Amino acid sequence: VITIDTENNPIEHVKYTKEENQLRIVITPKVAPMLLQNFNLKQEKDSSFDLLIAVGFSEKEELEKSCGVEISREKIININIDENIDFGDINLSDSEEYSTAKLTFHWLQTVLGEAKLRPIANYLLTGLVSASEGFLSRKCTAKDFFVSETLLSLGANYDDIIEHLFQ
């Protein structure tokens, strides 16, 4: 968490850029210069999420490591294809399923409706293509093609996924 004393250092605007493996945060003060002593950078021990949706994590510790915080009081919806994973308050699992992306698709489609999936269609199709080894796996079923057809109709780009996933 980055905290800036804006009472003594009013901010004009904030922007960021991603360059290779770096995130640059550019803070433009209303009045220059900004003093380093008015910045505070720390990692929170506990977070303040209202809800955390965990997809594909096998244990709570793995989720905490990925988030960079200890998770103690949040509500967790856990989506996983392993039947013995139950660290969430709500656990959506299907041990018969081989693709967490497909399980997530079905849940989100039910909860949000198909149209709301448009912004993440490419991500879901990437997960499905990866899990099915480009639809060449013996695990692949007709349901996978129906899901992929739906995601393609929502704007997912299969050619782009194949180009980047299997290069």
Side-chain angles (χ1 to χ4, degrees), residues 11-106:
I11 304 295
E12 182 74 30
H13 67 276
V14 177
K15 71 176 186 173
Y16 72 93
T17 59
K18 290 182 179 181
E19 297 173 4
E20 293 182 26
N21 293 329
Q22 294 185 356
L23 175 67
R24 293 187 64 214
I25 301 170
V26 180
I27 302 169
T28 305
K30 285 186 179 181
V31 180
M34 293 189 77
L35 302 175
L36 192 56
Q37 67 198 36
N38 292 316
F39 285 79
N40 182 5
L41 176 63
K42 68 177 181 174
Q43 181 173 342
E44 295 288 326
K45 288 266 184 205
D46 200 1
S47 57
S48 59
F49 301 109
D50 292 328
L51 174 67
L52 185 61
I53 300 175
V55 180
F57 289 92
S58 57
E59 56 188 30
K60 186 177 176 182
E61 292 74 23
E62 182 185 359
L63 175 61
E64 290 175 330
K65 184 177 179 183
S66 178
C67 293
V69 296
E70 291 178 26
I71 299 169
S72 60
R73 64 177 186 270
E74 290 75 26
K75 296 294 181 194
I76 300 173
I77 296 176
N78 179 33
I79 303 172
N80 203 302
I81 56 175
D82 297 323
E83 65 183 50
N84 295 325
I85 308 303
D86 62 351
F87 62 83
D89 297 293
I90 298 172
N91 295 287
L92 305 170
S93 63
D94 183 350
S95 61
E96 300 294 316
E97 186 58 71
Y98 72 93
S99 168
T100 304
K102 190 166 80 171
L103 185 61
T104 302
F105 165 82
H106 287 301

Side-chain angles (χ1 to χ4, degrees), residues 92-153:
L92 305 170
S93 63
D94 183 350
S95 61
E96 300 294 316
E97 186 58 71
Y98 72 93
S99 168
T100 304
K102 190 166 80 171
L103 185 61
T104 302
F105 165 82
H106 287 301
W107 179 69
L108 290 174
Q109 183 184 42
T110 301
V111 172
L112 300 176
E114 208 167 273
K116 298 275 185 173
L117 298 179
R118 185 173 302 279
I120 60 168
N122 220 47
Y123 302 122
L124 292 170
L125 185 57
T126 300
L128 181 56
V129 170
S130 177
S132 67
E133 300 168 1
F135 299 108
L136 298 174
S137 170
R138 290 182 181 202
K139 301 174 194 174
C140 197
T141 68
K143 291 179 185 177
D144 297 322
F145 292 104
F146 173 76
V147 170
S148 67
E149 178 184 1
T150 303
L151 293 169
L152 289 168
S153 73

